[in-house]
Amino acid sequence: TMLPLVRSLKVLALHGKGNNGPSFAKRLAPLVEEMGPSCDWTFATAPHAAGNEGGFAWWTLPPGTRSFEAAEFGGIGESLDLLEGLWATEGPFDAVLGHSQGAMLTGILVGLASLDETAVFRPECAVLTGAAWPNPYTEMLHGLSQTEKVDIPTLHCWGLADTMNPPELAEKLKGCFGSEAQSLVHDGGHVVPLEASSKARIASFLAHKV
């Protein structure tokens, strides 16, 4: 049962660290199928090499440091520039879906767009799966949580068995995005939840928030 969309929907997908656009496209194939042919997906690849061959990251970290502890995200400026460029060439995008590091980046982008009316990168809605707290942006996120300015609806998905990014950090991040923020909590681990009910919920959120 594909969703009958009124018009075509453009979705930008941001992979996790050590992944790339094409491999993330394979992983999200069940959701792409659920959304149907009137949904146009762009699977971006991050600019920084990370881990195995073909693995990339949206920022670099000192060895042994996690994103929720880091003082800064090395090279994130290049990622923001790359995505602004994609917005100009392949966008504008109706929605952004990010996983893990890509989910933290999605949160940063939505936060920046909410606080800066001149931001180029401004989706209608966003889905974050398996996010942690992007520590260098703590001040921005606290500022965001005190404003009433978040008008971009977000869906925050986390797994109770996630051993990579503590679920409570995904929940903490959700708390910064105002009353429009929704949550989808599943029993799985550090994954984009694609079992039938979660897949339907994500697809419905994307289709109805735009």
Side-chain angles (χ1 to χ4, degrees):
T1 56
M2 290 183 198
L3 291 168
L5 293 170
V6 179
R7 62 176 176 83
S8 68
L9 191 66
K10 288 174 85 90
V11 184
L12 174 64
L14 305 178
H15 64 78
K17 179 182 176 182
N19 215 277
N20 60 49
S23 62
F24 196 43
K26 281 184 193 158
R27 192 185 299 185
L28 284 195
L31 181 62
V32 172
E33 189 180 349
E34 178 96 1
M35 296 294 292
S38 55
C39 188
D40 181 16
W41 292 79
T42 297
F43 288 89
T45 294
H48 305 288
N52 305 331
E53 194 179 333
F56 292 89
W58 299 104
W59 54 80
T60 58
L61 298 166
T65 304
R66 301 298 311 279
S67 290
F68 52 83
E69 308 160 332
E72 62 177 358
F73 288 165
I76 192 173
E78 287 168 67
S79 292
L80 296 173
D81 288 348
L82 181 148
L83 294 177
E84 275 203 11
L86 265 184
W87 190 273
T89 56
E90 298 190 36
F93 299 101
D94 299 296
V96 181
L97 183 154
H99 177 60
S100 195
Q101 205 185 65
M104 287 181 261
L105 181 57
T106 299
I108 291 165
L109 287 162
V110 170
L112 293 172
S114 299
L115 293 168
D116 177 8
E117 288 170 14
T118 66
V120 173
F121 196 101
R122 185 181 300 278
E124 300 286 321
C125 69
V127 177
L128 295 76
T129 68
W133 182 262
N135 200 51
Y137 287 83
T138 294
E139 198 174 324
M140 184 269 279
L141 289 165
H142 283 160
L144 188 67
S145 63
Q146 319 232 311
T147 71
E148 300 295 311
K149 285 188 176 172
V150 188
D151 54 0
I152 299 171
T154 49
L155 175 63
H156 302 255
C157 314
W158 62 86
L160 296 174
D162 191 330
T163 54
M164 180 78 67
N165 286 335
E168 61 270 19
L169 294 183
E171 190 168 6
K172 179 183 175 187
L173 186 61
K174 176 197 172 243
C176 300
F177 287 87
S179 57
E180 289 286 320
Q182 300 177 26
S183 55
L184 190 174
V185 184
H186 58 92
D187 294 328
H190 191 62
V191 296
V192 180
L194 293 174
E195 81 287 352
S197 63
S198 294
K199 186 173 64 171
R201 171 89 189 278
I202 293 171
S204 169
F205 175 85
L206 288 170
H208 291 113
K209 288 295 173 193
V210 172

